Amino acid sequence: MKKPPLKSLKQLLSFPLVLALVLAQVFFPISNANAAQIVPRNLTLQAVGAHGGSAPGAVAPNQYSNHEFLFTIPTTGTNVGSIKFDYCTTAAPTIAIGCVAPTGLDTANAGFTSVTGAFTSVVSTAANSVYLSRSASSPGAGVFDERLTNIINPTSVNGETFFVRITTYTSTNTTGSIIDSGTVAAATNRPIVLTGTMPESLVFCTGALIGLTASVPDCSTATSGNITFDSLFSPTATATATSQMAASTNAGTGYIITVNGATLTSGANTITAIPSPGSVSNFGNSQFGMNLRLNTLMTSGVPSIALGLDIASASDNALLRGMPQPDYNTPDTFTYVDGAAVAKSDHLTPGSPAGYGPNPVATNAQIYTASYIVNVPGSQAAGTYTATLTYICTPTF
């Protein structure tokens, strides 16, 4: 049997050598042989106003997002003249696998802000590719913060992960060998739209006392409105009592609070309501009156315990606008007129009358304290005297 001829040594050595060269060309491209990995690196999708961010590409004119790249170039001693950003559907280096543009992604109108790095121009070479350029004399290494503006995100409504391949070059137009490279990832997502309705609102309550919850007047804490004066009626002393009410509204022209009801009566006997504009407390006279201020009553010329409180929280001409009306806004001066407006949400500046606005406006909740006084002459008929007062708060929307 005849043996096949032996191949020459040159033939035996040539095959693996050719294979090695082919492998080198496939897996170790010469243009990227010395490129280092850019670390650390990240991409943040930033909203432009109420739009953009990670939302899929939207309808003009509010369709753009800002893409901020923060990364550190590792190679030292080499100048960087340009940085390229390729938007792709895969993360592999551009030179190994082609870059397929994410659906809807568009960099055609890209602008830029070079926070650090001193780049001076931006060039969009394709719908998914853009580069920044500067003089190549600047040092190459360091932290770079580059913000691409006017980028239209991929348009997938179900969310889409995309990748941006970052490559650096000595040239000012991304020609020549790559210095360093790295890939970052980001994802678009449909926005979460929350909708709620604030209806027309009025919160108003009365009672002996109204408490606070988390520093806000809380009508659920209001106590009974059945109130007894602090002492028996006497021609030589003033009987006092207090009640409270809280109010807030989002009505554009605010609220007006009126007090309604007859004066104190016992059968056919009455105690005289103090007419407008009011009076100080006078022993031995028939007087029933009120105000909405902190008072200091006088007993035989000696100040007694303070009666009542000023409005809480104090009005500030911003979110708190409640204001006692003039007849009810002077300490130690009292009046009572059935149907009169005792408070409005029309505060401007402290004081009277300059503190009153032309029209009430919306306001947060505040608590008023109504202070009541009774004086009687020695001839006042005996009996149990009662007054039923109804406070009405009317908002105008």
Side-chain angles (χ1 to χ4, degrees), residues 376-394:
V376 294
S379 59
Q380 186 73 41
T384 299
Y385 288 78
T386 302
T388 300
L389 306 183
T390 301
Y391 289 93
I392 299 173
C393 184
T394 304

Side-chain angles (χ1 to χ4, degrees), residues 43-64:
L43 163 60
T44 301
L45 305 183
Q46 299 176 329
V48 179
H51 301 273
S54 64
V59 178
N62 299 309
Q63 60 185 345
Y64 297 120

